[in-house]
């Protein structure tokens, strides 16, 4: 199974989702490949935001080696599932879909709820971690 986590900057939310899902899948003995990408290019080539790195580390997950990259059309070919954090991510990614099969791969991580952007609110990183963790738990249950 190949899974891609997508947010706007690929430095706050999707790196957390990437690290959490990778660790959860490994813990369940699942041979899943997890990556992340962003729809905006401001931070391409950079590591995740220090606040995401710190929050993940507090939960025993090291995301410091991740490198920000842009979402690209070929990701529709590479990945089985593409999970986005909010409705802007959803419309940005769907706008790049070439056909129905591309579009069918794209879903909100939390099903019908969004993961809010914590970029301008330091205190939101921990709640965002918890939301993403719960979303990953549900997805693993559904897909494994
Ligand atoms: P993310 O948060 O989408 O969770 O990575 C953001 C990070 C950076 C920016 C926006 C959102 N930015 O505008 O630079």
């Amino acid at each position: 199974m190949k899974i891609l986590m997508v947010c706007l900057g690929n430095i706050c939310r999707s790196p957390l989702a990437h690290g959490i899902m990778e660790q959860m899948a490994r813990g369940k003995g699942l041979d899943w490949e997890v990556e992340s990408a962003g729809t905006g290019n401001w931070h391409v080539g950079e590591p995740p935001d220090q606040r995401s790195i710190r929050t993940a580390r507090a939960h025993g997950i090291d995301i410091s080696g991740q490198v920000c990259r842009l979402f690209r059309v070929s990701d529709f070919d590479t990945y089985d599932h593409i999970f986005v954090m909010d409705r802007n991510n959803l419309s940005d990614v769907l706008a790049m879909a070439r056909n129905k099969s591309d579009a069918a791969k794209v879903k909100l991580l939390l099903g019908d709820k969004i993961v809010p952007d914590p970029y301008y609110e330091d205190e939101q990183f921990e709640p965002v971690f918890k939301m993403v963790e719960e979303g990953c738990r549900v997805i693993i249950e559904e897909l494994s």
Side-chain angles (χ1 to χ4, degrees), residues 78-141:
T78 308
Y79 296 94
D80 302 299
H81 297 279
I82 297 167
F83 292 107
V84 299
M85 304 298 133
D86 64 31
R87 294 184 197 283
N88 288 327
N89 310 149
L90 188 63
S91 54
D92 288 343
V93 171
L94 286 177
M96 292 169 73
R98 298 156 298 184
N99 50 49
K100 284 193 172 152
S101 127
D102 285 356
K105 294 184 172 186
V106 190
K107 295 192 181 79
L108 283 169
L109 181 82
L110 300 185
D112 58 352
K113 293 194 297 283
I114 65 147
V115 181
D117 186 352
Y119 191 60
Y120 295 105
E121 291 172 272
D122 294 354
E123 69 284 0
Q124 286 306 307
F125 279 79
E126 178 64 23
V128 158
F129 182 96
K130 293 287 187 193
M131 272 181 231
V132 169
E133 188 179 46
E134 176 58 12
C136 290
R137 193 189 63 72
V138 170
I139 289 165
I140 288 208
E141 231 164 65

Side-chain angles (χ1 to χ4, degrees), residues 11-61:
I11 55 167
C12 298
R13 292 166 292 176
S14 58
L16 284 173
H18 173 174
I20 291 169
M21 187 63 108
E22 206 165 53
Q23 166 149 320
M24 254 187 211
R26 201 182 308 124
K28 295 228 169 212
L30 298 166
D31 185 23
W32 286 13
E33 191 177 311
V34 186
E35 284 296 333
S36 63
T39 58
N41 65 2
W42 309 283
H43 300 281
V44 167
E46 295 176 17
D49 188 286
Q50 283 303 321
R51 296 165 295 177
S52 280
I53 292 177
R54 276 200 300 272
T55 305
R57 187 175 289 140
H59 291 273
I61 303 174

